[in-house]
Short mmCIF file of all heavy atoms in Angstrom, two decimals:
data_model
loop_
_atom_site.label_atom_id
_atom_site.label_comp_id
_atom_site.label_asym_id
_atom_site.label_seq_id
_atom_site.Cartn_x
_atom_site.Cartn_y
_atom_site.Cartn_z
N THR A 366 -73.30 -6.02 31.39
CA THR A 366 -72.65 -6.36 32.65
C THR A 366 -73.05 -7.76 33.10
O THR A 366 -74.24 -8.08 33.11
CB THR A 366 -73.06 -5.32 33.73
OG1 THR A 366 -72.61 -4.04 33.31
CG2 THR A 366 -72.46 -5.67 35.08
N PRO A 367 -72.07 -8.59 33.45
CA PRO A 367 -72.41 -9.95 33.90
C PRO A 367 -73.27 -9.90 35.17
O PRO A 367 -73.13 -8.96 35.97
CB PRO A 367 -71.05 -10.58 34.21
CG PRO A 367 -70.03 -9.69 33.60
CD PRO A 367 -70.63 -8.34 33.46
N PRO A 368 -74.15 -10.88 35.35
CA PRO A 368 -75.10 -10.83 36.46
C PRO A 368 -74.46 -10.79 37.84
O PRO A 368 -75.03 -10.22 38.76
CB PRO A 368 -75.93 -12.11 36.29
CG PRO A 368 -75.30 -12.90 35.21
CD PRO A 368 -74.35 -12.03 34.47
N GLU A 369 -73.26 -11.34 37.97
CA GLU A 369 -72.66 -11.42 39.32
C GLU A 369 -71.98 -10.10 39.72
O GLU A 369 -71.23 -10.05 40.68
CB GLU A 369 -71.66 -12.58 39.39
CG GLU A 369 -70.47 -12.47 38.47
CD GLU A 369 -70.73 -12.97 37.06
OE1 GLU A 369 -71.92 -13.16 36.67
OE2 GLU A 369 -69.76 -13.17 36.31
N SER A 370 -72.26 -9.03 39.02
CA SER A 370 -71.51 -7.79 39.25
C SER A 370 -71.95 -7.01 40.49
O SER A 370 -71.29 -6.06 40.87
CB SER A 370 -71.68 -6.87 38.05
OG SER A 370 -72.94 -6.24 38.12
N GLY A 371 -73.08 -7.40 41.09
CA GLY A 371 -73.55 -6.65 42.24
C GLY A 371 -74.03 -5.26 41.87
O GLY A 371 -74.15 -4.39 42.73
N GLY A 372 -74.31 -5.04 40.63
CA GLY A 372 -74.84 -3.74 40.23
C GLY A 372 -73.79 -2.73 39.83
O GLY A 372 -74.11 -1.58 39.55
N TYR A 373 -72.52 -3.15 39.78
CA TYR A 373 -71.48 -2.24 39.29
C TYR A 373 -71.31 -2.50 37.81
O TYR A 373 -70.85 -3.57 37.41
CB TYR A 373 -70.16 -2.50 40.01
CG TYR A 373 -70.21 -2.15 41.47
CD1 TYR A 373 -70.52 -3.11 42.43
CD2 TYR A 373 -69.92 -0.86 41.88
CE1 TYR A 373 -70.57 -2.78 43.77
CE2 TYR A 373 -69.96 -0.52 43.22
CZ TYR A 373 -70.29 -1.48 44.16
OH TYR A 373 -70.34 -1.16 45.48
N TRP A 374 -71.70 -1.54 36.98
CA TRP A 374 -71.60 -1.78 35.53
C TRP A 374 -70.13 -2.00 35.16
O TRP A 374 -69.27 -1.20 35.52
CB TRP A 374 -72.12 -0.61 34.74
CG TRP A 374 -73.56 -0.21 34.88
CD1 TRP A 374 -74.08 0.95 34.43
CD2 TRP A 374 -74.64 -0.93 35.46
NE1 TRP A 374 -75.42 1.01 34.70
CE2 TRP A 374 -75.80 -0.14 35.33
CE3 TRP A 374 -74.78 -2.17 36.08
CZ2 TRP A 374 -77.06 -0.52 35.80
CZ3 TRP A 374 -76.03 -2.56 36.55
CH2 TRP A 374 -77.13 -1.76 36.40
N GLY A 375 -69.90 -3.07 34.44
CA GLY A 375 -68.53 -3.33 34.02
C GLY A 375 -68.47 -4.32 32.88
O GLY A 375 -69.41 -5.08 32.65
N HIS A 376 -67.38 -4.25 32.16
CA HIS A 376 -67.10 -5.27 31.14
C HIS A 376 -66.28 -6.37 31.81
O HIS A 376 -65.42 -6.09 32.64
CB HIS A 376 -66.24 -4.68 30.02
CG HIS A 376 -66.89 -3.59 29.24
ND1 HIS A 376 -67.86 -3.81 28.31
CD2 HIS A 376 -66.69 -2.25 29.25
CE1 HIS A 376 -68.23 -2.66 27.77
NE2 HIS A 376 -67.54 -1.69 28.33
N PRO A 377 -66.51 -7.64 31.41
CA PRO A 377 -65.58 -8.67 31.86
C PRO A 377 -64.17 -8.27 31.44
O PRO A 377 -63.98 -7.70 30.35
CB PRO A 377 -66.04 -9.92 31.10
CG PRO A 377 -67.45 -9.64 30.71
CD PRO A 377 -67.56 -8.16 30.53
N ILE A 378 -63.20 -8.55 32.28
CA ILE A 378 -61.84 -8.09 32.00
C ILE A 378 -61.34 -8.57 30.63
O ILE A 378 -60.65 -7.85 29.92
CB ILE A 378 -60.89 -8.52 33.13
CG1 ILE A 378 -61.06 -7.53 34.29
CG2 ILE A 378 -59.44 -8.54 32.67
CD1 ILE A 378 -60.35 -7.92 35.54
N GLU A 379 -61.76 -9.76 30.22
CA GLU A 379 -61.32 -10.30 28.92
C GLU A 379 -61.74 -9.37 27.77
O GLU A 379 -61.14 -9.39 26.70
CB GLU A 379 -61.90 -11.69 28.63
CG GLU A 379 -61.83 -12.69 29.73
CD GLU A 379 -62.94 -12.50 30.77
OE1 GLU A 379 -64.10 -12.84 30.49
OE2 GLU A 379 -62.62 -11.96 31.86
N ASP A 380 -62.80 -8.61 27.97
CA ASP A 380 -63.25 -7.72 26.89
C ASP A 380 -62.32 -6.52 26.70
O ASP A 380 -62.41 -5.83 25.68
CB ASP A 380 -64.66 -7.18 27.20
CG ASP A 380 -65.73 -8.25 27.01
OD1 ASP A 380 -65.36 -9.40 26.71
OD2 ASP A 380 -66.92 -7.94 27.17
N ALA A 381 -61.47 -6.25 27.69
CA ALA A 381 -60.54 -5.13 27.55
C ALA A 381 -59.40 -5.57 26.65
O ALA A 381 -58.29 -5.87 27.08
CB ALA A 381 -60.03 -4.69 28.92
N ALA A 382 -59.69 -5.63 25.37
CA ALA A 382 -58.72 -6.10 24.38
C ALA A 382 -59.00 -5.42 23.05
O ALA A 382 -60.14 -5.05 22.77
CB ALA A 382 -58.83 -7.61 24.21
N PHE A 383 -57.95 -5.27 22.25
CA PHE A 383 -58.16 -4.75 20.90
C PHE A 383 -58.97 -5.78 20.10
O PHE A 383 -59.11 -6.93 20.49
CB PHE A 383 -56.82 -4.53 20.19
CG PHE A 383 -55.93 -3.49 20.85
CD1 PHE A 383 -54.55 -3.60 20.79
CD2 PHE A 383 -56.48 -2.40 21.52
CE1 PHE A 383 -53.73 -2.65 21.38
CE2 PHE A 383 -55.67 -1.44 22.10
CZ PHE A 383 -54.28 -1.56 22.04
N LYS A 384 -59.40 -5.35 18.92
CA LYS A 384 -60.20 -6.23 18.08
C LYS A 384 -59.43 -7.50 17.71
O LYS A 384 -60.01 -8.57 17.55
CB LYS A 384 -60.58 -5.48 16.81
CG LYS A 384 -61.90 -5.89 16.23
CD LYS A 384 -62.32 -4.84 15.23
CE LYS A 384 -63.45 -5.31 14.37
NZ LYS A 384 -63.87 -4.24 13.46
N ASP A 385 -58.09 -7.39 17.60
CA ASP A 385 -57.30 -8.57 17.24
C ASP A 385 -57.02 -9.46 18.46
O ASP A 385 -56.27 -10.43 18.36
CB ASP A 385 -55.98 -8.15 16.58
CG ASP A 385 -55.00 -7.48 17.54
OD1 ASP A 385 -55.30 -7.38 18.77
OD2 ASP A 385 -53.93 -7.04 17.08
N GLY A 386 -57.60 -9.13 19.60
CA GLY A 386 -57.44 -9.98 20.77
C GLY A 386 -56.34 -9.54 21.73
O GLY A 386 -56.27 -10.04 22.85
N THR A 387 -55.48 -8.61 21.32
CA THR A 387 -54.41 -8.14 22.21
C THR A 387 -55.02 -7.50 23.46
O THR A 387 -55.81 -6.55 23.36
CB THR A 387 -53.56 -7.08 21.48
OG1 THR A 387 -53.08 -7.65 20.26
CG2 THR A 387 -52.39 -6.62 22.35
N ALA A 388 -54.65 -8.03 24.61
CA ALA A 388 -55.24 -7.53 25.85
C ALA A 388 -54.77 -6.12 26.17
O ALA A 388 -53.65 -5.74 25.84
CB ALA A 388 -54.89 -8.46 27.00
N VAL A 389 -55.64 -5.36 26.80
CA VAL A 389 -55.27 -4.04 27.35
C VAL A 389 -55.42 -4.17 28.87
O VAL A 389 -56.38 -3.69 29.47
CB VAL A 389 -56.17 -2.92 26.79
CG1 VAL A 389 -55.65 -1.55 27.22
CG2 VAL A 389 -56.24 -3.01 25.27
N PRO A 390 -54.45 -4.88 29.48
CA PRO A 390 -54.69 -5.35 30.85
C PRO A 390 -54.74 -4.25 31.90
O PRO A 390 -55.35 -4.45 32.95
CB PRO A 390 -53.50 -6.30 31.09
CG PRO A 390 -52.46 -5.90 30.11
CD PRO A 390 -53.17 -5.34 28.92
N TRP A 391 -54.14 -3.09 31.63
CA TRP A 391 -54.14 -2.06 32.67
C TRP A 391 -55.55 -1.57 32.98
O TRP A 391 -55.80 -1.05 34.06
CB TRP A 391 -53.24 -0.90 32.30
CG TRP A 391 -53.71 -0.03 31.16
CD1 TRP A 391 -53.53 -0.25 29.83
CD2 TRP A 391 -54.45 1.19 31.27
NE1 TRP A 391 -54.11 0.76 29.09
CE2 TRP A 391 -54.68 1.66 29.97
CE3 TRP A 391 -54.93 1.93 32.34
CZ2 TRP A 391 -55.37 2.83 29.69
CZ3 TRP A 391 -55.63 3.11 32.07
CH2 TRP A 391 -55.84 3.54 30.76
N LEU A 392 -56.48 -1.76 32.05
CA LEU A 392 -57.84 -1.27 32.28
C LEU A 392 -58.56 -2.04 33.38
O LEU A 392 -59.63 -1.64 33.82
CB LEU A 392 -58.65 -1.31 30.99
CG LEU A 392 -58.27 -0.24 29.98
CD1 LEU A 392 -58.95 -0.50 28.65
CD2 LEU A 392 -58.65 1.15 30.51
N SER A 393 -57.96 -3.13 33.83
CA SER A 393 -58.59 -3.87 34.92
C SER A 393 -58.23 -3.30 36.28
O SER A 393 -58.54 -3.87 37.30
CB SER A 393 -58.18 -5.34 34.86
OG SER A 393 -56.80 -5.44 35.15
N PHE A 394 -57.54 -2.15 36.29
CA PHE A 394 -57.15 -1.56 37.57
C PHE A 394 -58.38 -1.24 38.39
O PHE A 394 -59.48 -1.20 37.89
CB PHE A 394 -56.31 -0.31 37.36
CG PHE A 394 -57.06 0.89 36.83
CD1 PHE A 394 -57.47 1.89 37.68
CD2 PHE A 394 -57.35 1.00 35.50
CE1 PHE A 394 -58.14 3.01 37.20
CE2 PHE A 394 -58.01 2.10 35.01
CZ PHE A 394 -58.43 3.10 35.86
N ASN A 395 -58.11 -1.00 39.68
CA ASN A 395 -59.20 -0.50 40.50
C ASN A 395 -60.00 -1.57 41.21
O ASN A 395 -61.19 -1.41 41.40
CB ASN A 395 -60.15 0.32 39.64
CG ASN A 395 -60.36 1.68 40.24
OD1 ASN A 395 -59.75 1.96 41.26
ND2 ASN A 395 -61.18 2.50 39.64
N TRP A 396 -59.38 -2.67 41.56
CA TRP A 396 -60.10 -3.59 42.41
C TRP A 396 -59.87 -3.14 43.83
O TRP A 396 -58.80 -3.28 44.33
CB TRP A 396 -59.52 -5.00 42.32
CG TRP A 396 -59.59 -5.60 40.99
CD1 TRP A 396 -60.50 -5.37 40.02
CD2 TRP A 396 -58.70 -6.58 40.49
NE1 TRP A 396 -60.23 -6.13 38.93
CE2 TRP A 396 -59.13 -6.90 39.20
CE3 TRP A 396 -57.59 -7.24 41.01
CZ2 TRP A 396 -58.48 -7.85 38.42
CZ3 TRP A 396 -56.95 -8.17 40.23
CH2 TRP A 396 -57.40 -8.47 38.95
N GLY A 397 -60.77 -2.69 44.47
CA GLY A 397 -60.55 -2.51 45.89
C GLY A 397 -60.55 -1.08 46.34
O GLY A 397 -60.22 -0.18 45.57
N PRO A 398 -60.93 -0.87 47.57
CA PRO A 398 -61.13 0.47 48.11
C PRO A 398 -59.83 1.24 48.27
O PRO A 398 -59.86 2.43 48.50
CB PRO A 398 -61.75 0.19 49.48
CG PRO A 398 -61.30 -1.19 49.85
CD PRO A 398 -61.15 -1.92 48.57
N GLN A 399 -58.68 0.58 48.12
CA GLN A 399 -57.41 1.27 48.31
C GLN A 399 -57.20 2.33 47.24
O GLN A 399 -56.42 3.24 47.41
CB GLN A 399 -56.22 0.30 48.25
CG GLN A 399 -56.22 -0.71 49.35
CD GLN A 399 -56.96 -1.97 48.93
OE1 GLN A 399 -57.82 -1.94 48.05
NE2 GLN A 399 -56.66 -3.08 49.57
N TRP A 400 -57.85 2.18 46.14
CA TRP A 400 -57.63 3.11 45.04
C TRP A 400 -58.01 4.52 45.45
O TRP A 400 -59.06 4.77 45.99
CB TRP A 400 -58.43 2.67 43.83
CG TRP A 400 -58.32 3.68 42.75
CD1 TRP A 400 -59.27 4.57 42.37
CD2 TRP A 400 -57.19 3.91 41.94
NE1 TRP A 400 -58.79 5.35 41.36
CE2 TRP A 400 -57.52 4.97 41.07
CE3 TRP A 400 -55.92 3.35 41.85
CZ2 TRP A 400 -56.62 5.47 40.14
CZ3 TRP A 400 -55.05 3.85 40.92
CH2 TRP A 400 -55.40 4.89 40.08
N GLY A 401 -57.13 5.46 45.16
CA GLY A 401 -57.32 6.80 45.68
C GLY A 401 -57.92 7.81 44.74
O GLY A 401 -58.10 8.96 45.10
N GLY A 402 -58.20 7.48 43.52
CA GLY A 402 -58.73 8.53 42.65
C GLY A 402 -58.98 8.01 41.25
O GLY A 402 -59.18 6.83 41.05
N TYR A 403 -58.98 8.88 40.30
CA TYR A 403 -59.09 8.58 38.89
C TYR A 403 -60.25 7.65 38.55
O TYR A 403 -60.11 6.42 38.51
CB TYR A 403 -57.79 7.97 38.37
CG TYR A 403 -57.69 8.13 36.88
CD1 TYR A 403 -57.74 9.39 36.33
CD2 TYR A 403 -57.60 7.03 36.05
CE1 TYR A 403 -57.69 9.55 34.99
CE2 TYR A 403 -57.55 7.19 34.69
CZ TYR A 403 -57.58 8.46 34.16
OH TYR A 403 -57.53 8.62 32.82
N GLY A 404 -61.37 8.23 38.35
CA GLY A 404 -62.50 7.44 37.90
C GLY A 404 -63.23 6.83 39.06
O GLY A 404 -62.73 6.76 40.17
N ALA A 405 -64.42 6.41 38.79
CA ALA A 405 -65.25 5.85 39.85
C ALA A 405 -64.81 4.43 40.16
O ALA A 405 -64.23 3.76 39.33
CB ALA A 405 -66.69 5.87 39.40
N PRO A 406 -65.09 3.96 41.36
CA PRO A 406 -64.63 2.62 41.73
C PRO A 406 -65.44 1.52 41.07
O PRO A 406 -66.61 1.70 40.76
CB PRO A 406 -64.83 2.61 43.24
CG PRO A 406 -65.93 3.58 43.49
CD PRO A 406 -65.79 4.64 42.45
N SER A 407 -64.83 0.40 40.85
CA SER A 407 -65.58 -0.79 40.44
C SER A 407 -64.97 -1.96 41.16
O SER A 407 -64.22 -2.73 40.60
CB SER A 407 -65.52 -1.01 38.93
OG SER A 407 -64.23 -1.33 38.52
N PRO A 408 -65.27 -2.07 42.45
CA PRO A 408 -64.51 -3.02 43.25
C PRO A 408 -64.98 -4.46 43.09
O PRO A 408 -65.06 -5.18 44.05
CB PRO A 408 -64.71 -2.50 44.67
CG PRO A 408 -65.97 -1.71 44.63
CD PRO A 408 -66.27 -1.37 43.22
N VAL A 409 -65.29 -4.85 41.89
CA VAL A 409 -65.70 -6.24 41.67
C VAL A 409 -64.61 -6.93 40.86
O VAL A 409 -64.35 -6.57 39.72
CB VAL A 409 -67.04 -6.31 40.93
CG1 VAL A 409 -67.43 -7.76 40.67
CG2 VAL A 409 -68.12 -5.60 41.73
N ARG A 410 -63.98 -7.88 41.47
CA ARG A 410 -62.90 -8.59 40.82
C ARG A 410 -63.41 -9.27 39.55
O ARG A 410 -64.50 -9.85 39.55
CB ARG A 410 -62.33 -9.63 41.77
CG ARG A 410 -60.91 -10.00 41.51
CD ARG A 410 -60.30 -10.69 42.71
NE ARG A 410 -59.62 -9.73 43.58
CZ ARG A 410 -58.36 -9.36 43.42
NH1 ARG A 410 -57.64 -9.85 42.43
NH2 ARG A 410 -57.80 -8.51 44.24
N GLY A 411 -62.66 -9.16 38.48
CA GLY A 411 -63.09 -9.79 37.24
C GLY A 411 -63.76 -8.83 36.27
O GLY A 411 -64.00 -9.18 35.12
N LEU A 412 -64.06 -7.63 36.75
CA LEU A 412 -64.68 -6.64 35.87
C LEU A 412 -63.76 -5.45 35.68
O LEU A 412 -63.00 -5.10 36.57
CB LEU A 412 -65.98 -6.11 36.47
CG LEU A 412 -67.18 -7.02 36.55
CD1 LEU A 412 -68.38 -6.22 37.02
CD2 LEU A 412 -67.46 -7.63 35.19
N THR A 413 -63.85 -4.83 34.53
CA THR A 413 -63.25 -3.52 34.37
C THR A 413 -64.40 -2.54 34.21
O THR A 413 -65.45 -2.89 33.67
CB THR A 413 -62.30 -3.50 33.15
OG1 THR A 413 -61.95 -2.15 32.87
CG2 THR A 413 -62.91 -4.12 31.93
N LYS A 414 -64.23 -1.35 34.71
CA LYS A 414 -65.34 -0.40 34.72
C LYS A 414 -65.93 -0.22 33.33
O LYS A 414 -65.19 -0.12 32.35
CB LYS A 414 -64.85 0.95 35.23
CG LYS A 414 -64.66 0.95 36.70
CD LYS A 414 -64.26 2.30 37.19
CE LYS A 414 -62.86 2.64 36.81
NZ LYS A 414 -62.37 3.83 37.51
N PHE A 415 -67.24 -0.12 33.27
CA PHE A 415 -67.85 0.16 31.97
C PHE A 415 -67.39 1.51 31.46
O PHE A 415 -67.19 1.69 30.26
CB PHE A 415 -69.38 0.14 32.10
CG PHE A 415 -70.07 0.04 30.78
CD1 PHE A 415 -70.24 -1.19 30.17
CD2 PHE A 415 -70.50 1.17 30.12
CE1 PHE A 415 -70.83 -1.29 28.92
CE2 PHE A 415 -71.11 1.08 28.87
CZ PHE A 415 -71.27 -0.15 28.28
N GLY A 416 -67.19 2.42 32.38
CA GLY A 416 -66.66 3.72 31.99
C GLY A 416 -67.14 4.82 32.92
O GLY A 416 -68.00 4.60 33.76
N TRP A 417 -66.52 5.96 32.79
CA TRP A 417 -66.96 7.17 33.48
C TRP A 417 -66.53 8.31 32.58
O TRP A 417 -65.67 8.13 31.71
CB TRP A 417 -66.33 7.27 34.87
CG TRP A 417 -64.86 7.55 34.84
CD1 TRP A 417 -64.26 8.76 35.05
CD2 TRP A 417 -63.81 6.64 34.53
NE1 TRP A 417 -62.90 8.63 34.91
CE2 TRP A 417 -62.60 7.35 34.59
CE3 TRP A 417 -63.78 5.27 34.21
CZ2 TRP A 417 -61.36 6.75 34.33
CZ3 TRP A 417 -62.54 4.67 33.95
CH2 TRP A 417 -61.36 5.41 34.03
N TRP A 418 -67.17 9.44 32.72
CA TRP A 418 -66.93 10.56 31.80
C TRP A 418 -67.15 10.10 30.35
O TRP A 418 -66.39 10.46 29.46
CB TRP A 418 -65.52 11.12 31.96
CG TRP A 418 -65.26 11.82 33.25
CD1 TRP A 418 -66.03 11.81 34.38
CD2 TRP A 418 -64.13 12.65 33.57
NE1 TRP A 418 -65.45 12.57 35.35
CE2 TRP A 418 -64.29 13.10 34.89
CE3 TRP A 418 -63.01 13.05 32.85
CZ2 TRP A 418 -63.36 13.93 35.51
CZ3 TRP A 418 -62.08 13.88 33.47
CH2 TRP A 418 -62.26 14.31 34.78
N MET A 419 -68.23 9.32 30.15
CA MET A 419 -68.49 8.80 28.79
C MET A 419 -69.28 9.85 28.03
O MET A 419 -70.44 9.67 27.67
CB MET A 419 -69.27 7.49 28.90
CG MET A 419 -68.49 6.40 29.58
SD MET A 419 -69.44 4.87 29.73
CE MET A 419 -70.45 5.22 31.14
N THR A 420 -68.64 10.97 27.79
CA THR A 420 -69.33 12.09 27.18
C THR A 420 -69.16 12.13 25.67
O THR A 420 -69.91 12.80 24.97
CB THR A 420 -68.82 13.42 27.78
OG1 THR A 420 -67.40 13.46 27.61
CG2 THR A 420 -69.14 13.48 29.27
N ALA A 421 -68.14 11.41 25.16
CA ALA A 421 -67.94 11.33 23.72
C ALA A 421 -68.50 9.99 23.27
O ALA A 421 -68.03 8.94 23.69
CB ALA A 421 -66.45 11.41 23.39
N VAL A 422 -69.53 10.03 22.46
CA VAL A 422 -70.14 8.79 21.98
C VAL A 422 -70.53 9.00 20.54
O VAL A 422 -70.88 10.11 20.13
CB VAL A 422 -71.34 8.41 22.89
CG1 VAL A 422 -72.42 9.47 22.85
CG2 VAL A 422 -71.92 7.05 22.52
N LEU A 423 -70.39 7.94 19.74
CA LEU A 423 -70.71 8.08 18.32
C LEU A 423 -71.29 6.78 17.78
O LEU A 423 -70.67 5.72 17.90
CB LEU A 423 -69.45 8.44 17.52
CG LEU A 423 -69.68 8.64 16.01
CD1 LEU A 423 -70.39 9.96 15.73
CD2 LEU A 423 -68.36 8.59 15.24
N ILE A 424 -72.47 6.87 17.18
CA ILE A 424 -72.94 5.79 16.30
C ILE A 424 -72.31 6.09 14.96
O ILE A 424 -72.56 7.15 14.36
CB ILE A 424 -74.48 5.77 16.17
CG1 ILE A 424 -75.15 5.65 17.55
CG2 ILE A 424 -74.91 4.64 15.26
CD1 ILE A 424 -76.68 5.77 17.50
N ASP A 425 -71.43 5.22 14.51
CA ASP A 425 -70.69 5.44 13.26
C ASP A 425 -71.68 5.79 12.15
O ASP A 425 -72.58 5.00 11.85
CB ASP A 425 -69.91 4.15 12.94
CG ASP A 425 -68.98 4.30 11.75
OD1 ASP A 425 -69.22 5.21 10.92
OD2 ASP A 425 -68.04 3.50 11.65
N PRO A 426 -71.53 6.96 11.52
CA PRO A 426 -72.50 7.37 10.49
C PRO A 426 -72.60 6.37 9.35
O PRO A 426 -73.63 6.30 8.68
CB PRO A 426 -71.95 8.70 9.99
CG PRO A 426 -71.05 9.20 11.06
CD PRO A 426 -70.52 7.99 11.77
N SER A 427 -71.53 5.58 9.13
CA SER A 427 -71.61 4.64 8.01
C SER A 427 -71.89 3.21 8.46
O SER A 427 -71.94 2.30 7.64
CB SER A 427 -70.33 4.69 7.17
OG SER A 427 -69.20 4.49 7.98
N ASP A 428 -72.07 3.00 9.76
CA ASP A 428 -72.33 1.63 10.24
C ASP A 428 -73.10 1.70 11.56
O ASP A 428 -72.51 1.91 12.62
CB ASP A 428 -71.00 0.88 10.42
CG ASP A 428 -71.19 -0.52 10.96
OD1 ASP A 428 -72.35 -0.92 11.21
OD2 ASP A 428 -70.18 -1.22 11.16
N SER A 429 -74.40 1.50 11.51
CA SER A 429 -75.26 1.68 12.69
C SER A 429 -74.96 0.68 13.79
O SER A 429 -75.37 0.88 14.93
CB SER A 429 -76.73 1.54 12.29
OG SER A 429 -77.03 2.42 11.23
N ASP A 430 -74.28 -0.40 13.48
CA ASP A 430 -73.94 -1.40 14.49
C ASP A 430 -72.65 -1.05 15.23
O ASP A 430 -72.30 -1.70 16.19
CB ASP A 430 -73.78 -2.78 13.82
CG ASP A 430 -74.78 -3.78 14.36
OD1 ASP A 430 -75.55 -3.43 15.28
OD2 ASP A 430 -74.78 -4.92 13.85
#
Side-chain angles (χ1 to χ4, degrees):
T366 299
E369 63 275 15
S370 78
Y373 294 93
W374 298 167
H376 296 285
I378 280 172
E379 314 80 75
D380 287 3
F383 297 149
K384 210 165 167 178
D385 70 4
T387 305
V389 188
W391 70 275
L392 286 170
S393 68
F394 71 100
N395 233 2
W396 299 331
Q399 296 91 336
W400 174 254
Y403 201 58
S407 66
V409 178
R410 206 163 266 273
L412 290 187
T413 169
K414 284 183 288 192
F415 196 83
W417 70 102
W418 292 13
M419 296 179 280
T420 56
V422 62
L423 181 74
I424 303 174
D425 186 338
S427 54
D428 178 359
S429 306
D430 241 357

